[in-house]
Amino acid sequence: MADDRILEQLAQVLESRKGADASSSYVASLYAKGLDSILKKVGEEATETVVAAKNGDPEQLIYETADLWFHTLILLAQQGLGPGQVLAELERRFGLSGLEEKASRGTR
């Protein structure tokens, strides 16, 4: 079973790469390129995830979902956010019906 702390551990590594030289790592290079490049990668990975699901290949779907989550974590870090905030939102929604949750968005 995977370590449930992996998102926080990964977030710490991603945070540490923010100030790193762009040539030192892939993540540092994405930060250096800015928001548009990070958004482009998130979009690419989302599309690849959809294609993997459509193709019915479970292993490829897991691989592409991992890429999507990874790049989404980079986006969150770039925006000064982390997985804890997303997990807290998921926890807030837990137990609500999808229809109730969707209706509550109009009030914020």
Side-chain angles (χ1 to χ4, degrees), residues 3-104:
D3 186 339
D4 62 359
R5 297 170 297 169
I6 192 64
L7 291 177
E8 285 300 329
Q9 293 169 342
L10 184 53
Q12 289 173 0
V13 171
L14 296 177
E15 191 65 32
S16 75
R17 300 277 162 74
K18 278 186 174 180
D21 183 272
S23 65
S24 68
S25 77
Y26 170 73
V27 172
S29 72
L30 269 181
Y31 286 138
K33 291 175 188 174
L35 180 60
D36 286 347
S37 289
I38 295 169
L39 293 173
K40 181 179 177 187
K41 281 304 295 181
V42 170
E44 288 172 8
E45 298 304 340
T47 299
E48 291 171 3
T49 301
V50 169
V51 169
K54 194 78 168 147
N55 289 341
D57 183 343
E59 288 181 19
Q60 192 64 28
L61 178 57
I62 290 167
Y63 182 88
E64 295 301 345
T65 300
D67 279 351
L68 176 59
W69 286 14
F70 178 77
H71 287 89
T72 301
L73 287 169
I74 294 170
L75 172 61
L76 288 170
Q78 194 271 344
Q79 296 289 302
L81 302 168
Q85 289 147 304
V86 177
L87 292 172
E89 176 60 16
L90 289 171
E91 185 174 18
R92 183 192 70 77
R93 294 179 188 186
F94 191 78
L96 291 178
S97 80
L99 295 175
E100 282 179 64
E101 193 284 323
K102 190 170 184 179
S104 75

